[in-house]
Amino acid sequence: MDFELPKELVDYLAELDEFIEREIAPLERADDNIRFFDHRRENARTDWERGGLPTEEWEALLAEARRRADAAGHYRYAFPEEYGGRDGTNLGMAVIREHLARRGLGLHCDLQNEHAVVANNVGLLLMLEYGSPRQRAEWVDGLASGTRFFAFGITEPEHGSDATHMTTAAVRDGDDWIINGEKTWNSGIHAAEADLIFARTAGEPGDAAGITAFLVPTTTPGFRVEEYLWTFNMPTDHGRVSLRDVRVPGEAIFGAEGRGLAVVQHFFNENRIRQAASSLGAAQYCIDRSVAYAKRRKPFGKALAENQAIQFPLVELHTQCEMLRALIHKTAWTMDNRGTFAASEQVSMCNYWANRLCCEAADRAMQVHGGLGYSRHAPFEHIYRHHRRYRITEGAEEIQMRRVAGYLFGFMSSRAPKGV
């Protein structure tokens, strides 16, 4: 059993670091762009007069970073070579996402809005897997370059974690479909050209089959963003949308009719292993910074690092990072070699534990750094506020644990559920 990372991946991390230092770090420091990352970050990023949306200046800076990363051949790493990518693997993406997050806050990787110089663009991967020829022709180039986006309309106000009981429904009307319902936590909907709406088209509440995905342009009559939900971590791009007699053609179906849940589960597995890796990287960053600070901080004439009260909590967190890293790598490798659904149980393990671990590491970093750690002049409060979200939004940790229990006690199969 070989635990060494592939040499080409290790070499790529060095190539990526060199690009960041050459192209991205100078851009971060230019024209007071550092205001988006220092103690002013939340205020600089948030348009308080426009419903709390991200400021245009902030999003323009992110777009420029994406453009530079794409020009340098990094942005599309995970995509097939024919679309300008490097045929990146799940293992490769997990290692890269951890690496970028472990560098700390910066323009190279800001997880508050899923930005990174190596794209976590699961939308494109889904388009290649489930999109019709017409949909791929329209969307692939824009998705690949990061200049076009579609949002995901999965969660509903009354049905959060249980997608199979959604009340949004679509009924056939000739060659068209009429959609009625409501979705919430539509992240990025303010900039999206379409929303991937999941609606029941057949079956009964709770059935896995009978849910269909529709790619609905946000300009469609009857589609409306009702509000943006302000959160623990601003700015917000999380919209609540309503659909009132929204008419779309049959060609708006994404994937197969009645098989939309497969799209959801594919998205969840691909995204959650990468998110787990990012949370791991952020947790390790908090630990690394705390160790360094404890070595140089000398209250009462003695370094904090000499106190076991400082050492032991960080030792426990560091140990958990090492164990989690091994599980993430194994899980990503399994997905690469045995298919996306082959490690669903382990994806859930990685996801709920990584997000919890990151919050604990950020909290401990605040404690080690004292008053400075609690201030916005240190990055830990930002890391905590952001990653606290993922203990809910990437599938609540209770749902992830329930999923693991389903495999453990034999209520679930490691294969994709029937009907999807």
Side-chain angles (χ1 to χ4, degrees):
M1 191 177 294
D2 186 359
F3 290 97
E4 292 291 331
L5 292 177
K7 182 179 183 301
E8 60 270 20
L9 181 55
V10 175
D11 291 344
Y12 181 65
L13 296 180
E15 178 186 343
L16 197 56
D17 284 340
E18 190 278 330
F19 162 73
I20 291 170
E21 293 303 319
R22 184 183 72 251
E23 290 280 343
I24 302 302
L27 178 61
E28 181 181 312
R29 295 189 293 265
D31 302 320
D32 198 32
N33 287 334
I34 200 65
R35 71 188 186 277
F36 296 113
F37 303 99
D38 64 16
H39 61 281
R40 301 168 290 172
R41 53 189 169 261
E42 190 169 48
N43 189 59
R45 296 176 181 195
T46 306
D47 190 336
W48 303 104
E49 303 302 320
R50 200 163 59 100
L53 286 169
T55 61
E56 294 180 357
E57 296 83 2
W58 169 230
E59 296 203 309
L61 179 62
L62 298 176
E64 175 59 18
R66 289 194 298 269
R67 186 196 68 77
R68 294 189 183 195
D70 199 24
H74 297 299
Y75 188 73
R76 308 186 192 198
Y77 169 88
F79 308 155
E81 187 175 358
E82 63 182 296
Y83 299 105
R86 303 194 184 200
D87 292 316
T89 61
N90 282 298
L91 176 60
M93 280 299 293
V95 170
I96 290 166
R97 293 278 285 179
E98 180 194 348
H99 181 78
L100 292 176
R102 190 170 180 174
R103 289 179 61 104
L105 299 185
L107 187 54
H108 64 284
C109 177
D110 192 273
L111 301 175
Q112 186 182 40
N113 50 10
E114 302 297 336
H115 163 82
V117 293
V118 176
N120 182 36
N121 192 341
V122 178
L124 175 60
L125 299 180
L126 293 179
M127 180 61 70
L128 298 178
E129 181 75 20
Y130 298 102
S132 67
R134 180 168 182 169
Q135 288 168 340
R136 291 198 297 270
E138 178 185 357
W139 280 93
V140 163
D141 288 343
L143 288 171
S145 63
T147 56
R148 296 187 70 192
F149 308 94
F150 60 81
F152 288 82
I154 303 171
T155 305
E156 297 187 352
E158 300 302 321
H159 301 280
S161 298
D162 184 4
T164 64
H165 280 81
M166 64 179 62
T167 55
T168 298
V171 296
R172 195 187 298 272
D173 184 25
D175 293 332
D176 295 342
W177 290 85
I178 308 297
I179 307 174
N180 281 280
E182 195 170 15
K183 299 292 181 178
T184 193
W185 303 113
N186 266 211
S187 301
I189 191 65
H190 72 294
E193 295 183 37
D195 201 5
L196 190 59
I197 295 292
F198 293 82
R200 182 161 293 284
T201 54
E204 300 296 327
D207 290 348
I211 294 172
T212 303
F214 296 89
L215 199 57
V216 180
T218 55
T219 55
T220 305
F223 183 97
R224 178 179 175 181
V225 178
E226 298 287 352
E227 64 175 333
Y228 288 99
L229 299 157
W230 289 41
T231 69
F232 194 25
N233 204 22
M234 295 294 286
T236 180
D237 63 353
H238 312 298
R240 179 174 64 85
V241 306
S242 61
L243 300 97
R244 301 288 181 263
D245 295 326
V246 171
R247 179 180 292 271
V248 296
E251 63 193 25
I253 290 177
F254 190 78
E257 180 182 336
R259 303 297 180 89
L261 201 60
V263 180
V264 174
Q265 292 179 321
H266 193 138
F267 166 73
F268 282 165
N269 276 19
E270 293 273 0
N271 198 56
R272 284 173 178 169
I273 191 63
R274 300 176 188 197
Q275 180 53 52
S278 292
S279 290
L280 169 61
Q284 191 69 66
Y285 169 80
C286 292
I287 296 165
D288 294 344
R289 287 287 296 267
S290 297
V291 169
Y293 182 79
K295 287 180 178 180
R296 69 173 182 268
R297 180 72 167 177
K298 297 181 179 180
F300 308 106
K302 184 175 72 171
L304 283 174
E306 296 183 31
N307 299 316
Q308 290 180 338
I310 297 294
Q311 295 172 0
F312 285 6
L314 293 173
V315 166
E316 289 186 356
L317 291 166
H318 184 59
T319 301
Q320 291 179 42
C321 282
E322 285 290 341
M323 292 188 292
L324 177 62
R325 185 173 295 112
L327 181 58
I328 287 175
H329 289 182
K330 176 187 175 184
T331 302
W333 179 91
T334 300
M335 293 170 68
D336 288 330
N337 287 274
R338 300 177 186 170
T340 301
F341 297 108
S344 295
E345 177 183 5
Q346 289 74 25
V347 169
S348 289
M349 291 177 180
C350 292
N351 188 260
Y352 92 80
W353 195 259
N355 296 328
R356 184 187 295 180
L357 176 60
C358 185
C359 289
E360 291 177 357
D363 184 75
R364 176 53 51 181
M366 290 184 214
Q367 195 70 22
V368 171
H369 285 76
L372 177 63
Y374 183 67
S375 78
R376 290 178 186 248
H377 295 272
F380 309 119
E381 58 83 29
H382 178 81
I383 292 171
Y384 181 88
R385 284 188 292 114
H386 171 67
H387 286 270
R388 184 61 180 84
R389 155 193 173 185
Y390 288 118
R391 294 175 64 185
I392 300 171
T393 61
E394 280 304 307
E397 58 186 39
E398 293 84 0
I399 294 296
Q400 301 293 351
M401 295 171 75
R402 179 185 178 210
R403 195 180 189 199
V404 174
Y407 293 111
L408 182 63
F409 290 94
F411 299 119
M412 296 179 67
S413 167
S414 59
R415 298 183 299 274
K418 293 179 181 180
V420 299

